[in-house]
């Protein structure tokens, strides 16, 4: 094992073990108690629903590892569905896919260039979020359009109950995890995430790393939109809005530190699965859908508290709730 | 060989570096000396490519530096920064090979080759540590050695050491010394900055002194002795680094601060008294619990057992805020991270602890603030261009003075607890800080001074407690103590 994965890679995987366990337990329990959960159609719809968020969250995770954030992914997802459902070229869908890829990379690169030039990531991606959303609405002002038949066939292909797009998305997350943890680019990414100034001082290619990170986020978001069409069969200029925040939630659930430089992209898999399970189970139980938001919000807070407890110690109002590994006294300014 | 000609740099109103020309031949060590604020840091930042000079030219082996970190590194410049620049979220090995990690055929990290490289670099320093250990788990001295290993992993043409020994013990300093010697034998030129004079004479071949941005003197080591060096740096004679101890301060009576059998955070059974008017020192080698004592005395940490008494009253210090209410102020060791608000102005930093006193109605009155702050600034002998100047732009010694000034303003203090207040502070500013501390005790304050600098305690403290492995192994009178007697206690060789 030690020759295969680096020490930091292993160290970053360790904190994700609890979320894997919780998620797997949740699946087992759901499987045991819920008859509708066991059906093939449900499994298929659960996995199909996960595919877009897996892709978008993988990109978001890369950006968050640099200590940044990408708010524009939601708009990029929408734009991608709109492009996919437009009548273009010979109708085979090749041109649609090519345009989706190009749009994602271009928007992401623009974000990266802005951030590398010193614009705050929140501000930069907030701006592109608006611009891209407007663009998508200009192309298609209401849900509709027709998806090229051959393309749709590919997007909805499945092996039994397991959709092809789910498998591909899963593969993409694994590749992205290797890219961020087992390559030179990855080490630089973590270094930048810990301290951009430090990385610059160490003569690392800080700007290039940032640009590539945001470009990947843009690309993965647009591919997420493409995959999403396999579930909704049409373009929708507003469908992606929820993805911005959902992808951040999934990344944080997966144990990636919001300040950057810590965590493993692989943690996104249980993170996304847990979110999908909440939706799926509450739907099956016939609970009013607004409760899904409340449940997900509460899960996020509990999960982050547990991650904190694993690293330092969990304290609320000076009362220690959980003992930490090493006590880090807060040596802040005694004012 | 490193050469710079007529290099200048100005930041706003401050001429940081003024027309410096300098040459370091291959294989030679130049000690660059000067007080904090003399322009050494800016000068070295220019070599590192982090600051572009306004005028002049720097060249390494004929390659003219273009003023980017990547270009400087490409030209063969390696730097060990004063503020450590390792990434704690990566391992020792990953830090050493960062940016040039060996790869296998499909582009993934080749961990075996990577470890071999890291180990080779560590061997050159003679530092035995597992390359797989996360840097986050290392202590300051270990990090410093890793930093050095990283810098010399590729034999640099020019090595810059910015106070490389500030957190090292004697044995580790020797490791560093030998590593540098090996490099100079291979033809590396070295620029070395330190405030420890003995080291400067031990390490270097050439000595150059900067003052207010200009190079005031340079020459082979043989031309220098300690007195001349200090005089050149300060530009005036320092009659006395340490102020005279006051008249025998009254002992007994009620102590301003008393720790009684305090245990917790790795220290055991600490009992000491800080009486008004006295400076009580806590000495020990790095890592023997003296920092914890400072934290326990100021509410940063809570003790597991024992009693703290403030002016005779049993007191529980919940947090630094509670300690301040009881009249105990804390100056933490790492001023950049844990004490000052670097992006804020001198004024704002000074006023933080006294907001309520200065502005009782909650509305800020600039006039009132000035009337309170100006005398304090005067008393501190601050070197600044305006009280609105950002603290980040001040030199280390001046930053430290601002930190003191905060407590001068706060008023109603009984005890000031300081942890390594002069680390990285130059001789001139040191003398002023010492004088200030003595003034405070003369006014009736008690001072608990935790320091790893033994000479400082010998010169300043009225009483010195020496720690070894989390316990006080002995207490000596400040006036009678010697380096030997403290060292014997600090290394656990003797009990007083």
């Amino acid at each position: 094992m030690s020759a295969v994965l680096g020490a930091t890679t292993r160290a970053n995987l360790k904190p994700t073990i609890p979320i894997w366990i919780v998620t797997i337990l949740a699946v087992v329990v759901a499987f045991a108690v819920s008859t509708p959960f066991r059906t093939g159609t449900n499994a298929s719809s659960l996995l199909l629903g996960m595919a877009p968020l897996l892709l978008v969250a993988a990109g978001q995770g890369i950006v968050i590892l640099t200590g940044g954030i990408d708010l524009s992914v939601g708009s990029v997802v929408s734009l991608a569905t709109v492009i996919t459902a437009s009548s273009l070229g010979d109708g085979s869908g090749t041109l649609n896919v090519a345009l989706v890829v190009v749009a994602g990379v271009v928007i992401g690169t623009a974000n990266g260039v802005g951030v590398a030039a010193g614009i705050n990531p929140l501000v930069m991606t907030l701006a592109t979020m608006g611009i891209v959303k407007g663009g998508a609405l200009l192309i298609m002002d209401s849900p509709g359009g027709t998806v090229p038949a051959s393309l749709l066939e590919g997007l909805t292909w499945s092996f039994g109950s397991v959709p092809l797009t789910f498998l591909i998305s899963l593969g993409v997350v694994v590749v992205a995890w290797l890219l961020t943890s087992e390559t030179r680019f990855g080490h630089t990414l973590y270094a930048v995430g810990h301290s951009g100034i430090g990385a610059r001082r160490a003569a690392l290619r800080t700007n290039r790393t940032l640009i590539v990170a945001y470009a990947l986020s843009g690309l993965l978001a647009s591919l997420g939109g493409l995959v999403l069409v396999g579930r909704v069969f049409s373009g929708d200029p507003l469908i992606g809005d929820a993805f911005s925040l959902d992808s951040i939630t999934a990344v944080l659930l997966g144990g990636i530190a919001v300040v950057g430089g810590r965590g493993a992209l692989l943690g996104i898999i249980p993170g996304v699965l847990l979110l999908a399970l909440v939706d799926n189970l509450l739907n099956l139980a016939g609970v009013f859908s607004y409760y899904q938001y409340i449940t997900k919000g509460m899960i996020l807070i509990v999960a982050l508290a547990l991650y904190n407890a694993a690293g330092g110690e969990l304290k609320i109002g000076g009362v220690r709730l959980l003992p930490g590994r090493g006590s880090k006294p807060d040596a802040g300014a005694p004012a | 060989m490193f050469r710079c000609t007529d290099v200048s740099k100005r930041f706003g109103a401050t001429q940081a570096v003024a027309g410096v020309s300098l040459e370091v031949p291959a294989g030679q060590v130049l000690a660059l000396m000067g007080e904090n604020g003399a322009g050494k840091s800016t000068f070295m930042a220019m070599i590192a490519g982090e600051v572009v000079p306004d005028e002049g030219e720097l060249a390494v082996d004929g390659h003219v530096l273009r003023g980017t970190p990547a270009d400087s590194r490409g030209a063969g410049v390696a730097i060990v920064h004063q503020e450590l620049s390792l990434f704690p979220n990566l391992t020792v090995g990953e830090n050493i090979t960062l940016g040039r990690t060996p790869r296998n055929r499909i582009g993934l990290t080749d961990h075996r080759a990577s470890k071999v490289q890291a180990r080779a670099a560590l061997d050159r320093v003679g530092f035995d540590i597992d390359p797989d250990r996360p840097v986050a788990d290392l202590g300051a001295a270990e990090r410093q050695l890793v930093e050095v290993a990283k810098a010399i992993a590729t034999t640099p043409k020019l090595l810059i050491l910015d106070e490389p020994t500030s957190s090292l013990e004697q044995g580790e300093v020797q490791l560093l010394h030998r590593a540098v010697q090996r490099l100079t034998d291979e033809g590396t030129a070295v620029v070395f900055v330190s405030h420890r004079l003995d080291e400067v004479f031990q390490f270097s071949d050439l000595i150059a002194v900067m003052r207010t941005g200009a190079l005031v003197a340079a020459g082979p080591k043989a031309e220098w002795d300690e007195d001349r060096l200090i005089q050149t740096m300060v530009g005036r004679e320092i009659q006395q680094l340490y102020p005279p101890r006051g008249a025998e301060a009254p002992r007994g009576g009620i102590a301003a601060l008393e720790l009684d059998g305090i245990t917790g955070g790795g220290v055991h059974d600490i009992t000491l008294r800080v009486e008004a008017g006295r400076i009580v020192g806590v000495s020990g080698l790095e890592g023997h619990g003296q920092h914890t004592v400072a934290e326990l005395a100021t509410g940063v940490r809570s003790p597991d057992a024992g009693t703290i008494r403030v002016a005779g009253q049993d007191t529980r210090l919940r947090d630094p805020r509670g300690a301040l209410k009881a009249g105990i102020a804390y100056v933490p060791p790492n001023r950049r991270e844990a004490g000052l608000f670097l992006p804020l102005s001198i004024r704002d930093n000074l006023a933080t602890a006294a907001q309520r006193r200065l502005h009782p109605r909650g509305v800020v009155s600039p006039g009132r603030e000035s009337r309170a702050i100006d005398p304090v600034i005067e008393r501190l002998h601050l070197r600044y261009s305006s009280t609105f100047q950002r603290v980040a732009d001040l030199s280390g010694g001046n930053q430290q003075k601002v930190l003191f000034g905060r407590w001068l303003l706060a008023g109603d203090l009984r005890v000031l607890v300081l942890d390594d207040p002069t680390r990285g502070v130059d001789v001139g500013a040191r003398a002023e800080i010492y004088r200030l501390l003595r003034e405070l005790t003369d006014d009736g304050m008690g001072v608990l001074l935790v320091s790893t600098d033994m000479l400082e305690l010998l010169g300043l403290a009225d009483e010195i407690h020496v720690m070894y492995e989390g316990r006080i192994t002995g207490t000596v009178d400040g006036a009678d103590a010697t380096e030997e007697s403290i060292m014997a206690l600090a290394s656990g060789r003797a009990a007083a």
Side-chain angles (χ1 to χ4, degrees):
Chain A
M1 182 84 178
S2 72
V4 181
L5 293 178
T8 299
T9 310
R10 278 175 283 145
N12 276 323
L13 279 179
K14 211 177 270 173
T16 64
I17 293 173
I19 185 141
W20 278 105
I21 293 174
V22 167
T23 311
I24 291 169
L25 271 179
V27 173
V28 171
V29 169
F31 205 83
V33 300
S34 167
T35 323
F37 184 82
R38 282 197 290 264
T39 58
T41 15
N42 186 56
S44 172
S45 108
L46 179 75
L47 298 179
L48 198 60
M50 281 174 69
L53 189 55
L54 276 174
L55 291 172
V56 180
Q60 184 72 263
I62 295 173
V63 166
I64 289 183
L65 278 175
T66 69
I69 200 153
D70 190 344
L71 294 181
S72 69
V73 289
S75 298
V76 175
V77 167
S78 302
L79 179 70
T81 67
V82 167
I83 295 175
T84 309
S86 297
S87 310
L88 295 162
D90 56 3
S92 69
T94 322
L95 189 58
N96 301 58
V97 174
L99 274 180
V100 163
V101 168
V102 169
V105 171
V106 167
I107 296 163
T109 306
N111 279 333
V113 169
V115 171
I119 302 175
N120 182 295
L122 201 75
V123 176
M124 185 65 213
T125 59
L126 186 68
T128 41
M129 174 179 103
I131 295 168
V132 174
K133 189 173 185 166
L137 282 163
L138 280 174
I139 298 174
M140 193 182 279
D141 56 8
S142 60
T146 40
V147 185
S150 53
L151 179 55
L152 195 58
E153 197 180 328
L155 290 174
T156 50
W157 186 279
S158 92
F159 305 94
S161 309
V162 184
L164 174 69
T165 51
F166 171 75
L167 290 176
I168 292 177
S169 305
L170 213 54
V172 167
V173 174
V174 173
V175 170
W177 166 65
L178 284 174
L179 177 72
T180 52
S181 57
E182 288 290 309
T183 64
R184 242 180 236 186
F185 166 77
H187 285 173
T188 312
L189 195 76
Y190 277 78
V192 170
H194 179 261
S195 160
I197 296 170
R200 217 175 290 265
R201 263 186 166 184
L204 299 176
R205 296 175 191 268
T206 314
N207 288 346
R208 194 179 76 173
T209 305
L210 282 173
I211 294 170
V212 170
Y214 282 87
L216 283 173
S217 178
L219 172 66
L220 290 171
S222 65
L223 292 180
L226 183 69
V227 166
L228 182 61
V229 173
R231 208 181 59 181
V232 298
F233 306 126
S234 65
D236 181 341
L238 297 175
I239 195 170
D241 284 1
F243 276 87
S244 291
L245 296 185
D246 281 352
S247 64
I248 296 170
T249 309
V251 167
L252 297 184
L253 276 182
I256 293 172
V258 73
V259 292
R262 248 178 313 120
L265 224 48
L266 220 47
I268 284 170
I269 297 172
V272 170
L273 179 54
L274 199 59
L275 289 179
L277 272 180
V278 170
D279 286 344
N280 188 259
L281 292 176
L282 293 185
N283 270 335
L284 290 178
V287 177
F288 192 42
S289 72
Y290 296 170
Y291 286 105
Q292 293 171 12
Y293 295 111
I294 297 174
T295 313
K296 286 194 256 185
M298 292 204 297
I299 288 178
L300 182 60
I301 290 178
V302 171
L304 290 198
L306 291 175
Y307 280 123
N308 262 339
E313 52 188 342
L314 183 60
K315 271 184 170 183
I316 292 178
V319 182
R320 190 184 296 186
L321 297 181
L322 283 166
R325 186 181 43 174
S327 60
K328 272 188 212 153
D330 103 270
Chain B
M1 160 162 131
F2 167 71
R3 182 206 302 266
C4 73
T5 34
D6 248 344
V7 174
S8 295
K9 180 73 192 180
R10 175 183 280 279
F11 293 112
T14 319
Q15 183 76 46
V17 173
V20 171
S21 298
L22 199 65
E23 219 182 273
V24 188
Q28 300 253 306
V29 179
L30 171 90
L32 184 61
M33 306 293 294
E35 293 190 90
N36 284 331
K40 303 181 309 272
S41 303
T42 309
F43 181 66
M44 286 189 297
M46 287 196 273
I47 305 177
E50 288 156 19
V51 168
V52 185
D54 296 334
E55 284 165 47
E57 202 176 79
L58 302 114
V60 176
D61 278 0
H63 172 108
V64 177
L65 300 183
R66 280 195 300 269
T68 66
D71 179 60
S72 288
R73 184 165 164 162
V77 179
I79 303 138
V80 177
H81 279 287
Q82 184 182 358
E83 277 104 44
L84 300 177
S85 52
L86 295 178
F87 298 96
N89 54 344
L90 300 176
T91 65
V92 169
E94 286 162 351
N95 265 287
I96 290 174
T97 60
L98 193 60
R100 35 179 191 81
T101 323
R103 295 185 275 209
N104 63 17
R105 256 169 298 138
I106 55 168
L108 299 184
T109 305
D110 182 342
H111 294 290
R112 194 160 304 153
S114 184
K115 223 175 269 186
V116 168
Q117 274 189 16
R119 205 158 325 247
L122 290 164
D123 282 346
R124 289 180 68 154
V125 183
F127 183 35
D128 187 25
I129 188 173
D130 180 4
D132 271 353
R133 274 184 66 186
V135 166
D137 292 354
L138 307 186
E142 290 171 312
R143 287 189 194 200
Q144 196 127 35
L145 290 173
V146 172
E147 185 103 2
V148 173
K150 179 187 172 190
I152 66 176
T154 55
T155 304
K157 288 178 182 149
L158 174 64
L159 176 67
I160 300 176
L161 299 165
D162 191 359
E163 291 200 48
T165 58
S166 55
S167 50
L168 298 185
E169 303 287 350
Q170 199 51 41
E172 295 153 349
V173 172
Q174 291 312 320
L175 281 184
L176 176 65
H177 194 178
R178 277 200 292 274
V180 167
Q181 213 149 33
R182 227 168 294 152
L183 279 177
T184 49
D185 290 346
E186 291 168 37
T188 300
V190 179
V191 176
F192 166 72
V193 171
S194 170
H195 287 299
R196 295 191 189 173
L197 296 186
D198 52 334
E199 247 165 53
V200 167
F201 282 98
Q202 192 193 342
F203 260 80
S204 61
D205 305 305
L206 307 163
I207 294 177
V209 177
M210 284 181 77
R211 198 167 68 219
T212 56
L215 191 71
V216 287
K221 178 168 70 176
E223 294 174 9
W224 294 88
D225 59 44
E226 286 204 10
D227 288 338
R228 182 184 165 214
L229 188 52
I230 291 176
Q231 276 174 36
T232 319
M233 281 197 294
V234 181
R236 60 182 187 275
E237 259 183 86
I238 293 193
Q239 282 88 7
Q240 212 171 7
L241 186 54
Y242 301 103
R245 286 189 174 78
E248 181 55 33
R251 302 208 51 179
I254 294 172
L257 171 68
E258 198 178 342
L259 305 188
D260 191 353
I262 291 290
T263 295
V267 302
H268 308 281
D269 198 21
I270 300 297
T271 299
L272 57 83
R273 297 161 59 82
V274 182
E275 281 121 350
R278 282 169 69 85
I279 298 180
V280 175
V282 177
S283 178
L285 298 172
E286 190 68 58
H288 284 268
Q290 60 274 42
H291 303 299
T292 311
V293 171
E295 291 177 352
L296 286 166
T298 50
V300 176
R301 274 173 198 264
S302 303
D304 299 332
T307 321
I308 294 177
R309 276 185 285 275
V310 178
Q313 301 282 315
D314 282 15
T315 311
R316 225 189 115 214
L317 307 172
R318 285 167 176 280
D319 49 22
R321 194 181 163 81
L324 188 61
K325 274 206 184 119
I328 301 169
Y330 175 45
V331 178
N334 191 333
R335 56 182 175 267
R336 283 182 159 268
E337 276 171 24
L340 289 168
F341 306 108
L342 292 177
L344 298 185
S345 69
I346 295 175
R347 283 171 87 90
D348 292 341
N349 270 285
L350 282 172
T352 41
Q355 290 295 354
R356 193 168 282 271
R357 221 163 63 92
L358 288 175
H359 313 298
R361 281 189 210 91
V363 180
V364 174
S365 143
R368 222 183 135 92
E369 200 170 275
S370 292
R371 279 194 297 281
I373 284 177
D374 291 347
V376 171
I377 289 181
E378 184 91 357
R379 197 167 165 196
L380 292 171
H381 292 277
L382 267 189
R383 256 171 264 167
Y384 64 104
S385 53
S386 138
T387 57
F388 294 102
Q389 192 178 1
R390 287 179 351 137
V391 165
D393 300 336
L394 295 178
S395 66
N398 281 311
Q399 287 182 348
Q400 193 70 53
K401 288 193 227 163
V402 171
L403 205 48
F404 282 112
R406 183 184 290 172
W407 304 123
L408 296 185
L409 263 176
D412 306 332
L413 279 189
R414 287 200 179 87
V415 179
L416 189 58
V417 179
L418 305 130
D419 194 348
D420 259 341
T422 57
R423 175 175 285 186
V425 171
D426 64 72
V427 182
R430 258 177 207 229
E432 282 166 18
I433 287 172
Y434 295 150
R435 179 186 50 74
L436 214 70
L437 283 180
R438 194 42 88 182
E439 272 178 39
L440 290 175
T441 53
D442 288 348
D443 290 349
M445 204 185 278
V447 168
L448 181 63
L449 174 65
V450 174
S451 177
T452 37
D453 184 345
M454 212 178 290
L455 295 176
E456 173 172 292
L457 288 173
L458 288 173
L460 202 62
D462 296 307
E463 181 182 46
I464 305 170
H465 299 283
V466 188
M467 293 192 64
Y468 174 70
E469 290 191 340
R471 291 173 193 279
I472 293 181
T473 46
T475 302
V476 286
D477 191 76
D480 308 335
T482 59
E483 274 188 80
E484 290 76 23
S485 65
I486 291 186
M487 204 55 210
L489 291 167
S491 52
R493 272 185 279 130

